[in-house]
Amino acid sequence: MVQHTATSVVTIDRFIIEQERQFPEATGALSGILYDIALAAKIISSKVRRAGLVDILGSANAENVQGEIQQKLDVFANETIIMAMDHTGKLCVMASEEEPGLIDIPDGFKCGKYVLLFDPLDGSSNIDVNVPVGTIFSVLQKITRGTRGEMEDVLQPGRRQVAAGYVIYGSSTMLVYTTGQGAHGFTLDPSIGEFLLSHPNIRIPANGRYLSVNDSYEQHWDDPTKALMRRYRGLDGERKPLNVRYVGSLVADFHRNLLGGGVFCYPANSSAPKGKLRLMYEANPLAFIVKEAGGAATDGVRDILDIQPTELHQRVPLYIGSKDEVDQAIAMFGGALSGVGA
Ligand code: FDP
């Protein structure tokens, strides 16, 4: 943790500018995207904080593209991010976990060279019970020639991300992001409305303390998955057991393991052969962050960051966290990681 004095306080804006200065050729567009996301995060945070006070909880009676019931706060978060981002001239297209197709930049607004993918409010089934939820985002660079962004610009492997991050609306609101120069965390000081640098250069411990998995699916797991979970729990005598912690809100589980060490697993199972989590909105951005923090992420066979997406809402099994723990998953499934660890 950073100890601040009145003059040493580093706001997220100042930090972003200082990072940008290391790249004289930078146009400022990526920094602008990060500022705008931080602003959207503050708006969503203030709404989440009031969720128990105002009559906003409960279903908006709409099903999203994943067939899940949307909560009102999901809708609010989705709209807040779109409205904060679509007119800035920095993006050429967006995609959200809550929308079936691409989100075009409205006519009359300039298009820029970046693509934004986001999960506006992850873990939404926890909203009603006051458990932390989060926003996850991923930024790619446009690769097609036209002015507007196309599906090809969106369907790029995670290794091409130029920035990624998440916001956790927990006991405090924190924003963690990377642009490929380490993973840095900022805590929102609600009294001044600023994200302040609190966790510079986060490093995930190489071996973990925590195992996060929903083992109510055990009967649907295949044998290697069952064997891996027995290993993590120390039941096969091969290692010290990990401590089980499962919030069921990805950002909360990921964040705890990032700071304390551990592995989050959402394996494939016979009723969800590709797992549940989405490659573009969840696995890729968190894989970029964990890699910058010295950890790793795999689907068991491939490095998450190497997967070539084929569809917008693609799902992927996910093992993410401390390097040693992810290596155990890879060994169990016979996969390989490339370029692991920063
Ligand atoms: P939710 O359905 O509440 O939005 O990606 C969605 C997610 O939550 C993750 O945040 C969470 O890790 C996971 O689903 C929980 O799924 P299970 O209930 O199947 O464990």
Side-chain angles (χ1 to χ4, degrees):
M1 287 281 284
V2 171
Q3 297 301 318
H4 291 296
T5 64
T7 51
S8 76
V9 168
V10 179
T11 63
I12 194 165
D13 291 13
R14 184 173 142 197
F15 189 85
I16 291 169
I17 292 176
E18 279 171 12
Q19 284 216 321
E20 187 192 298
R21 281 207 191 107
Q22 297 170 31
F23 297 89
E25 69 286 0
T27 61
L30 184 58
S31 299
I33 292 169
L34 295 169
Y35 298 144
D36 294 336
I37 289 172
L39 173 63
K42 286 190 234 176
I43 298 170
I44 297 168
S45 176
S46 96
K47 198 76 165 183
V48 169
R49 297 272 167 249
R50 292 186 57 78
L53 300 172
V54 291
D55 183 29
I56 195 170
L57 292 181
S59 161
N61 291 330
E63 287 219 343
N64 72 7
V65 68
Q66 318 290 345
E68 297 156 343
I69 300 286
Q70 282 187 359
Q71 306 287 309
K72 282 183 185 170
L73 272 173
D74 284 26
V75 178
F76 175 82
N78 193 44
E79 284 170 3
T80 300
I81 295 175
I82 294 172
M83 284 189 305
M85 310 302 301
D86 67 0
H87 61 284
T88 60
K90 297 172 189 108
L91 299 174
C92 60
V93 73
M94 290 182 272
S96 160
E97 197 224 306
E98 298 293 334
E99 305 267 349
L102 296 181
I103 306 167
D104 290 324
I105 303 305
D107 290 339
F109 291 118
K110 250 184 76 196
C111 281
K113 62 175 179 181
Y114 291 102
V115 175
L116 177 69
L117 307 174
F118 58 93
D119 182 350
L121 211 58
D122 187 75
S124 51
S125 59
N126 289 309
I127 293 170
D128 283 348
V129 290
N130 213 351
V131 163
V133 288
T135 297
I136 313 176
F137 64 92
S138 160
V139 183
L140 293 157
Q141 219 159 1
K142 185 174 187 301
I143 51 172
T144 57
R145 286 169 169 268
T147 315
R148 290 184 169 276
E150 298 169 27
M151 192 58 89
E152 197 183 331
D153 296 307
V154 175
L155 296 183
Q156 299 188 59
R159 202 166 293 284
R160 298 229 190 103
Q161 292 171 105
V162 292
Y166 64 87
V167 185
I168 176 167
Y169 310 102
S171 47
S172 48
T173 295
M174 256 190 91
L175 189 153
V176 176
Y177 85 90
T178 183
T179 52
Q181 302 165 77
H184 310 286
F186 302 81
T187 303
L188 182 63
D189 180 340
S191 63
I192 56 168
E194 290 278 7
F195 279 107
L196 304 179
L197 180 63
S198 52
H199 297 66
N201 209 13
I202 297 170
R203 304 301 295 170
I204 185 168
N207 46 49
R209 277 158 64 190
Y210 303 119
L211 165 64
S212 307
V213 68
N214 184 344
D215 59 11
S216 57
Y217 301 113
E218 181 165 4
Q219 56 179 319
H220 303 295
W221 289 338
D222 62 12
D223 288 342
T225 307
K226 285 182 186 159
L228 178 63
M229 297 307 150
R230 284 181 57 78
R231 165 97 23 111
Y232 284 146
R233 287 161 186 271
L235 295 174
D236 65 359
E238 292 287 323
R239 60 163 295 157
K240 250 178 69 193
L242 292 168
N243 236 325
V244 175
R245 294 281 187 281
Y246 191 70
V247 174
S249 185
L250 174 62
V251 171
D253 283 310
F254 176 82
H255 184 71
R256 182 201 47 244
N257 294 355
L258 182 70
L259 299 185
V263 62
F264 173 93
C265 311
Y266 204 109
N269 67 58
S270 55
S271 41
K274 292 186 173 165
K276 176 183 187 189
L277 303 177
R278 292 82 174 167
L279 175 61
M280 312 295 288
Y281 313 108
E282 294 171 317
N284 270 343
L286 298 185
F288 188 15
I289 290 171
V290 86
K291 175 187 155 260
E292 286 295 316
T298 180
D299 66 353
V301 182
R302 296 161 295 179
D303 190 318
I304 290 290
L305 295 172
D306 288 335
I307 298 175
Q308 172 63 55
T310 52
E311 44 179 307
L312 205 50
H313 296 287
Q314 187 166 337
R315 296 178 193 264
V316 70
L318 182 63
Y319 301 84
I320 187 166
S322 294
K323 171 118 176 39
D324 292 357
E325 317 310 340
V326 174
D327 279 347
Q328 295 206 334
I330 293 163
M332 197 62 84
F333 293 110
L337 274 181
S338 58
V340 169

